[in-house]
Short mmCIF file of all heavy atoms in Angstrom, two decimals:
data_model
loop_
_atom_site.label_atom_id
_atom_site.label_comp_id
_atom_site.label_asym_id
_atom_site.label_seq_id
_atom_site.Cartn_x
_atom_site.Cartn_y
_atom_site.Cartn_z
N VAL U 1 85.16 83.32 -12.24
CA VAL U 1 85.54 84.17 -11.15
C VAL U 1 85.11 83.41 -9.88
O VAL U 1 83.93 83.03 -9.76
CB VAL U 1 84.91 85.57 -11.16
CG1 VAL U 1 85.18 86.48 -10.04
CG2 VAL U 1 85.36 86.18 -12.60
N GLU U 2 86.03 83.44 -8.81
CA GLU U 2 85.72 82.84 -7.54
C GLU U 2 85.09 81.47 -7.50
O GLU U 2 84.04 81.10 -6.98
CB GLU U 2 84.81 83.83 -6.73
CG GLU U 2 85.34 85.17 -6.49
CD GLU U 2 84.44 86.10 -5.82
OE1 GLU U 2 83.33 85.75 -5.52
OE2 GLU U 2 84.84 87.29 -5.57
N ALA U 3 85.76 80.53 -8.19
CA ALA U 3 85.30 79.12 -8.34
C ALA U 3 85.94 78.32 -7.18
O ALA U 3 87.02 78.65 -6.68
CB ALA U 3 85.72 78.49 -9.70
N LEU U 4 85.23 77.26 -6.83
CA LEU U 4 85.68 76.38 -5.72
C LEU U 4 85.67 74.94 -6.25
O LEU U 4 84.64 74.51 -6.80
CB LEU U 4 84.69 76.45 -4.51
CG LEU U 4 84.80 75.44 -3.47
CD1 LEU U 4 86.05 75.53 -2.70
CD2 LEU U 4 83.61 75.55 -2.53
N ALA U 5 86.68 74.16 -6.05
CA ALA U 5 86.70 72.74 -6.10
C ALA U 5 87.12 72.09 -4.85
O ALA U 5 88.31 72.33 -4.39
CB ALA U 5 87.74 72.30 -7.23
N GLU U 6 86.24 71.35 -4.28
CA GLU U 6 86.47 70.82 -2.87
C GLU U 6 85.82 69.39 -2.73
O GLU U 6 84.76 69.11 -3.13
CB GLU U 6 85.93 71.74 -1.81
CG GLU U 6 86.11 71.30 -0.43
CD GLU U 6 85.54 72.40 0.58
OE1 GLU U 6 84.51 72.97 0.31
OE2 GLU U 6 86.26 72.51 1.59
N GLY U 7 86.69 68.55 -2.13
CA GLY U 7 86.22 67.21 -1.71
C GLY U 7 85.91 66.25 -2.87
O GLY U 7 85.16 65.34 -2.80
N ASN U 8 86.58 66.50 -4.12
CA ASN U 8 86.41 65.64 -5.17
C ASN U 8 87.40 64.51 -5.23
O ASN U 8 88.52 64.72 -4.75
CB ASN U 8 86.48 66.46 -6.47
CG ASN U 8 85.47 67.58 -6.49
OD1 ASN U 8 84.31 67.28 -6.79
ND2 ASN U 8 85.84 68.79 -6.35
N LYS U 9 87.06 63.43 -5.85
CA LYS U 9 87.94 62.34 -6.14
C LYS U 9 88.09 62.18 -7.57
O LYS U 9 86.98 61.94 -8.23
CB LYS U 9 87.47 61.06 -5.48
CG LYS U 9 87.45 61.17 -3.98
CD LYS U 9 86.95 59.98 -3.35
CE LYS U 9 86.83 60.11 -1.82
NZ LYS U 9 86.19 59.02 -1.12
N ILE U 10 89.30 62.23 -8.25
CA ILE U 10 89.53 62.11 -9.62
C ILE U 10 90.56 60.97 -9.89
O ILE U 10 91.71 61.05 -9.29
CB ILE U 10 90.02 63.55 -10.11
CG1 ILE U 10 88.94 64.58 -9.76
CG2 ILE U 10 90.31 63.33 -11.68
CD1 ILE U 10 89.53 65.97 -9.84
N TYR U 11 90.18 60.10 -10.68
CA TYR U 11 90.92 58.95 -10.99
C TYR U 11 91.25 58.86 -12.51
O TYR U 11 90.36 58.87 -13.40
CB TYR U 11 90.21 57.68 -10.58
CG TYR U 11 89.90 57.51 -9.13
CD1 TYR U 11 88.71 57.83 -8.66
CD2 TYR U 11 90.92 57.09 -8.24
CE1 TYR U 11 88.38 57.82 -7.30
CE2 TYR U 11 90.54 57.00 -6.88
CZ TYR U 11 89.28 57.36 -6.46
OH TYR U 11 89.03 57.28 -5.14
N ARG U 12 92.53 58.70 -12.89
CA ARG U 12 92.94 58.41 -14.26
C ARG U 12 92.45 59.24 -15.41
O ARG U 12 91.83 58.76 -16.33
CB ARG U 12 92.63 56.94 -14.57
CG ARG U 12 93.28 55.98 -13.63
CD ARG U 12 92.95 54.50 -13.91
NE ARG U 12 91.61 54.20 -13.87
CZ ARG U 12 90.89 53.91 -12.76
NH1 ARG U 12 91.47 53.87 -11.68
NH2 ARG U 12 89.58 53.51 -12.97
N PRO U 13 92.65 60.59 -15.36
CA PRO U 13 92.33 61.33 -16.50
C PRO U 13 93.34 60.94 -17.60
O PRO U 13 94.52 60.72 -17.33
CB PRO U 13 92.62 62.92 -16.08
CG PRO U 13 93.39 62.80 -14.83
CD PRO U 13 93.18 61.38 -14.23
N ALA U 14 92.81 60.71 -18.81
CA ALA U 14 93.64 60.03 -19.78
C ALA U 14 94.76 60.92 -20.33
O ALA U 14 95.81 60.34 -20.77
CB ALA U 14 92.68 59.63 -21.04
N GLN U 15 94.64 62.18 -20.42
CA GLN U 15 95.70 62.97 -21.19
C GLN U 15 96.42 64.07 -20.27
O GLN U 15 97.61 64.26 -20.38
CB GLN U 15 95.15 63.63 -22.42
CG GLN U 15 94.74 62.61 -23.44
CD GLN U 15 94.17 63.40 -24.64
OE1 GLN U 15 94.57 64.48 -24.99
NE2 GLN U 15 93.22 62.70 -25.39
N GLN U 16 95.70 64.78 -19.50
CA GLN U 16 96.26 65.93 -18.90
C GLN U 16 95.95 65.95 -17.33
O GLN U 16 96.41 65.00 -16.62
CB GLN U 16 95.92 67.20 -19.56
CG GLN U 16 96.47 67.39 -20.93
CD GLN U 16 96.27 68.77 -21.53
OE1 GLN U 16 96.07 69.71 -20.83
NE2 GLN U 16 96.23 68.78 -22.83
N HIS U 17 95.41 67.05 -16.93
CA HIS U 17 95.31 67.37 -15.47
C HIS U 17 94.12 66.71 -14.82
O HIS U 17 93.08 66.61 -15.47
CB HIS U 17 95.21 68.80 -15.33
CG HIS U 17 96.33 69.68 -16.01
ND1 HIS U 17 97.53 69.66 -15.59
CD2 HIS U 17 96.18 70.39 -17.19
CE1 HIS U 17 98.29 70.41 -16.39
NE2 HIS U 17 97.46 70.81 -17.37
N GLY U 18 94.28 66.44 -13.48
CA GLY U 18 93.04 66.07 -12.70
C GLY U 18 92.25 67.25 -12.57
O GLY U 18 90.95 67.17 -12.67
N ILE U 19 92.77 68.41 -12.10
CA ILE U 19 92.07 69.71 -11.92
C ILE U 19 92.81 70.75 -12.65
O ILE U 19 94.06 70.96 -12.42
CB ILE U 19 91.91 70.03 -10.46
CG1 ILE U 19 91.10 68.93 -9.69
CG2 ILE U 19 91.17 71.36 -10.23
CD1 ILE U 19 91.00 69.13 -8.25
N TYR U 20 92.20 71.50 -13.47
CA TYR U 20 92.80 72.60 -14.19
C TYR U 20 91.95 73.89 -14.10
O TYR U 20 90.83 73.79 -14.62
CB TYR U 20 93.00 72.29 -15.66
CG TYR U 20 93.74 73.41 -16.43
CD1 TYR U 20 95.07 73.60 -16.38
CD2 TYR U 20 92.96 74.30 -17.20
CE1 TYR U 20 95.71 74.67 -16.91
CE2 TYR U 20 93.57 75.30 -17.80
CZ TYR U 20 94.94 75.57 -17.75
OH TYR U 20 95.56 76.63 -18.35
N PHE U 21 92.35 74.94 -13.40
CA PHE U 21 91.70 76.26 -13.40
C PHE U 21 92.58 77.26 -14.09
O PHE U 21 93.78 77.40 -13.77
CB PHE U 21 91.50 76.61 -11.90
CG PHE U 21 90.34 76.01 -11.23
CD1 PHE U 21 89.94 74.72 -11.54
CD2 PHE U 21 89.65 76.72 -10.34
CE1 PHE U 21 88.82 74.20 -10.85
CE2 PHE U 21 88.59 76.19 -9.68
CZ PHE U 21 88.14 74.89 -9.90
N GLY U 22 92.12 77.91 -15.19
CA GLY U 22 92.86 78.88 -15.72
C GLY U 22 92.02 79.94 -16.39
O GLY U 22 90.82 79.82 -16.54
N GLU U 23 92.66 80.98 -16.89
CA GLU U 23 92.03 82.11 -17.67
C GLU U 23 90.89 82.75 -16.88
O GLU U 23 89.86 83.08 -17.46
CB GLU U 23 91.53 81.64 -18.96
CG GLU U 23 92.56 81.04 -19.79
CD GLU U 23 93.78 81.98 -20.30
OE1 GLU U 23 93.40 83.19 -20.36
OE2 GLU U 23 94.84 81.47 -20.44
N GLY U 24 90.98 82.89 -15.58
CA GLY U 24 90.04 83.60 -14.76
C GLY U 24 90.67 84.51 -13.78
O GLY U 24 91.68 85.12 -14.15
#
């Protein structure tokens, strides 16, 4: 509940998403 993702750098996730928020 009420999560924040800010200012991150994500490179080459092998299978799926760089950022995934769900089920909240």
Side-chain angles (χ1 to χ4, degrees):
V1 178
E2 298 178 0
L4 167 68
E6 181 176 37
N8 299 288
K9 295 178 183 174
I10 301 162
Y11 301 93
R12 300 180 300 279
Q15 295 181 29
Q16 291 189 26
H17 309 286
I19 300 173
Y20 181 81
F21 278 34
E23 303 296 331

